[in-house]
Amino acid sequence: MPFSVRVFVFLGAALLFAMEPLVGRVLLPSFGSAEHVWSTLLMFFQAVLLLGYLYVAVVLPRLGALHLALLLAPLVFLPFGLGWGAPPPPADDSVASLLTLLVRGYAVPFFVLSTTTLVAQRWSEERSPDQDVHPLYATSNVASVVALLVYALVWEPFGGLRLQSWLWAVGYLLYLGFAMLAFAHTRRDEVDARPAVRENRPAPPLLDGVYWIALAAGPSALLLAVTHAFVLDVGNLPLAWTAPLVLYLASFALAFRAGADSEGGAVSEGGVAPGWLRHWPLVSLFGAPAFTRLMNPDGPLVLLHLVLFGYVAWGAHAELRRTAPEGSSPVFYVAVAAGGLFGSAFVVFVAPKFVALFEYPFALLWLTAVYVVRHPPWMAPLRAKLFFGGLLAFVVALSAAWPP
């Protein structure tokens, strides 16, 4: 795969996820709650990500090289928070007001960047239809992790808002250059019949799409739930907001960097032992009642939130990778993005109507239920049935015995 394509994907993903804390930094003075701003930001950006994936699936095939012209649109909004990039003051501190500001000032740049990975996959397949393009998705998630860590550890402590905005703008200019190179390199030796090879692949079954949406919704909801719990314990620090998101993206990178085996979603290459992740549905089941013991922990026990979330998210995303179709299937990535949006929207709009942090155990139980529906234990040998039934009874009894 051409080096320019990998850099194009890396820069696009890095700018995409550096944009989230940067925009939060721009908007935070106008709103009262950092946690409220961060949750709404994540939900909004997941919605725009879904729109970007839909664009690649429906519109991009009709545009061809005209897509490169779309990449110029974000220049109007740069640098963020300064000059043309500064949105008007909010009318109030409500979710609706925040979403309005996000749409007016930041939706276009995020939308354009959200298309990067799937566009690169499509360009690469048009040149070499037989190559595995899923690792580009892993590359994008590695870049996202790097961007978030650099922002939290370097940009935020040592750079003011003006410097951060200008650095991001310069990075976008580099991104434009590599986009042109990637397009040119993937057009070399192009064969007219090659695009037809990709287009002739059958669409995934509807039930697979429903499964991907349901499975992707769990880690997304759990991401916000763990962020809320983590912030309650360690305070409103940038690293507290970004640490769960780093684990979320890292779990995608680990799951998609190599092939997956045929059972349980465990990654079979890259140094991870086969079967290491197969217990994630049970860990998720145990985590629901254990959640009550993790609230307000002392000392290092607060890290158990991150350990539980990291393992479960990794296992769920490995299951997504195991069931993903071959090649760059926009339908698969649209389903994953839709699931991420549903999970975050549930936490932002539905969960606050229930008891505090209701979304935490709900997301864990949801993940176990989704997996069990797809892999029913009654289809397993008798010994597995007895084990799973006994374990479920134990967990239910344990949950009832532990006070909230």
Side-chain angles (χ1 to χ4, degrees):
M1 189 171 296
F3 176 75
S4 59
V5 174
R6 294 186 179 275
V7 177
F8 169 56
V9 170
F10 190 94
L11 281 175
L15 290 169
L16 187 75
F17 280 89
M19 186 176 170
E20 293 193 19
L22 175 57
V23 172
R25 176 78 169 76
V26 172
L27 297 180
L28 193 57
S30 301
F31 296 86
S33 169
E35 181 181 337
H36 154 68
V37 172
W38 186 244
S39 297
T40 307
L41 271 174
L42 290 180
M43 183 196 67
F44 170 79
F45 285 136
Q46 284 178 323
V48 179
L49 185 70
L50 174 58
L51 291 177
Y53 287 178
L54 286 171
Y55 161 84
V56 174
V58 178
V59 180
L60 180 68
R62 297 171 173 82
L63 289 182
L66 288 177
H67 173 76
L68 297 174
L70 179 67
L71 304 186
L72 301 176
L75 296 176
V76 178
F77 300 88
L78 302 182
F80 293 131
L82 307 171
W84 289 102
D92 51 57
D93 61 355
S94 65
V95 171
S97 181
L98 177 55
L99 289 174
T100 300
L101 283 183
L102 289 169
V103 169
R104 295 180 65 175
Y106 308 103
V108 171
F110 198 91
F111 171 82
V112 169
L113 288 170
S114 70
T115 67
T116 302
T117 302
L118 298 196
V119 166
Q121 287 184 346
R122 185 178 183 91
W123 288 352
S124 298
E125 276 202 333
E126 286 176 353
R127 182 187 182 189
S128 303
D130 297 330
Q131 67 178 320
D132 182 12
V133 294
H134 286 300
L136 284 177
Y137 192 65
T139 299
S140 70
N141 283 282
V142 169
S144 304
V145 170
V146 171
L148 287 170
L149 290 176
V150 168
Y151 186 89
L153 300 177
V154 180
W155 275 24
E156 174 64 21
F158 301 108
L161 180 58
R162 180 175 295 273
L163 176 61
Q164 294 174 31
S165 298
W166 279 110
L167 285 175
W168 197 97
V170 171
Y172 191 80
L173 293 177
L174 289 174
Y175 167 81
L176 286 177
F178 276 98
M180 307 295 179
L181 288 175
F183 181 79
H185 289 167
T186 52
R187 286 301 177 275
R188 290 178 183 173
D189 303 324
E190 184 177 350
V191 178
D192 293 338
R194 282 175 177 170
V197 173
R198 197 182 63 83
E199 297 296 340
N200 287 337
R201 289 175 183 159
L206 177 61
L207 288 180
D208 283 354
V210 173
Y211 180 60
W212 296 330
I213 292 173
L215 191 61
S220 176
L222 192 58
L223 164 64
L224 292 184
V226 170
T227 302
H228 293 168
F230 201 53
V231 167
L232 286 175
D233 289 325
V234 303
N236 271 324
L237 304 173
L239 190 59
W241 311 333
T242 56
L245 183 56
V246 165
L247 285 178
Y248 178 78
L249 297 169
S251 68
F252 266 120
L254 289 169
F256 279 78
R257 80 193 191 283
D261 70 6
S262 59
E263 298 180 7
V267 177
S268 60
E269 299 178 15
V272 181
W276 198 81
L277 290 176
R278 289 178 186 160
H279 305 294
W280 73 266
L282 298 182
V283 173
S284 184
L285 187 63
F286 270 118
F291 147 77
T292 60
R293 309 296 292 179
L294 288 175
M295 294 312 301
N296 301 316
D298 296 325
L301 286 179
V302 69
L303 297 178
L304 288 177
H305 289 304
L306 300 181
V307 173
L308 173 64
F309 170 61
Y311 180 79
V312 171
W314 186 2
H317 292 151
E319 169 68 4
L320 280 173
R321 173 65 182 94
R322 186 185 69 83
T323 57
E326 295 182 2
S328 60
S329 171
V331 174
F332 170 74
Y333 290 105
V334 166
V336 172
L341 173 59
F342 292 157
S344 60
F346 173 82
V347 174
V348 171
F349 293 114
V350 179
K353 301 182 184 300
F354 297 91
V355 295
L357 286 180
F358 153 82
E359 63 270 20
Y360 198 132
F362 181 85
L364 289 167
L365 290 174
W366 171 265
L367 279 168
T368 301
V370 169
Y371 184 83
V372 168
V373 168
R374 179 67 178 245
H375 309 279
W378 50 86
M379 299 295 291
L382 178 62
R383 184 171 58 180
K385 298 180 191 178
L386 295 175
F387 172 77
F388 193 88
L391 182 62
L392 181 60
F394 173 75
V395 170
V396 171
L398 193 63
S399 179
W402 277 357

